[in-house]
Amino acid sequence: MKKAKDLNQLIDLVHEAVYEVDELRACLEHDDDEASTYTPYLDTLDKMLRELHEAMASGKYGGVGQGEDLPYMALFKKHERDIPFRELLRTINATHREGYEA
């Protein structure tokens, strides 16, 4: 997945990640067996993504290309194998860390 080309695309990617969390949560309502895989990180990741989206949409986002990971990356690294939309989260973080796609 390619990095975002501008802030609007990055906001769209974060919005998509929030949507993926919502979809995963909806699926878990019907499958208690899978819930134990996702509950250790889902609420925290959801909160972090919503805060990031709000910061970007409100103009409070610090910007891209500063070389640091987003706050959710520590959680991501711990649960990476269990996150169905991990490539999307990697792309968002890569854009944040390295800057927009040329």
Side-chain angles (χ1 to χ4, degrees):
M1 183 176 259
K2 286 187 170 188
K3 294 186 298 183
K5 293 182 180 180
D6 57 32
L7 181 59
N8 287 331
Q9 280 190 352
L10 185 56
I11 291 171
D12 288 346
L13 289 176
V14 175
H15 185 262
E16 184 179 337
V18 169
Y19 173 81
E20 292 292 339
V21 168
D22 289 343
E23 286 293 301
L24 182 55
R25 196 181 301 279
C27 290
L28 294 179
E29 290 177 8
H30 306 290
D31 191 351
D32 289 337
D33 295 336
E34 292 289 316
S36 64
T37 301
Y38 304 108
T39 52
Y41 69 84
L42 197 58
D43 288 342
T44 306
L45 181 61
D46 186 24
K47 183 178 184 284
M48 291 174 155
L49 288 171
R50 289 179 192 278
E51 288 172 355
L52 178 60
H53 187 268
E54 174 60 29
M56 289 177 170
S58 68
K60 295 178 184 170
Y61 173 62
V64 301
Q66 298 178 20
E68 295 180 9
D69 284 334
L70 285 165
Y72 69 73
M73 285 306 289
L75 184 69
F76 174 85
K77 289 173 183 173
K78 185 175 179 183
H79 299 282
E80 180 177 358
R81 292 183 346 171
D82 297 326
I83 301 174
F85 48 95
R86 61 186 159 266
E87 289 303 317
L88 176 59
L89 296 179
R90 271 194 203 108
T91 300
I92 293 167
N93 189 65
T95 302
H96 170 79
R97 189 180 63 243
E98 301 164 8
Y100 299 117
E101 188 72 33

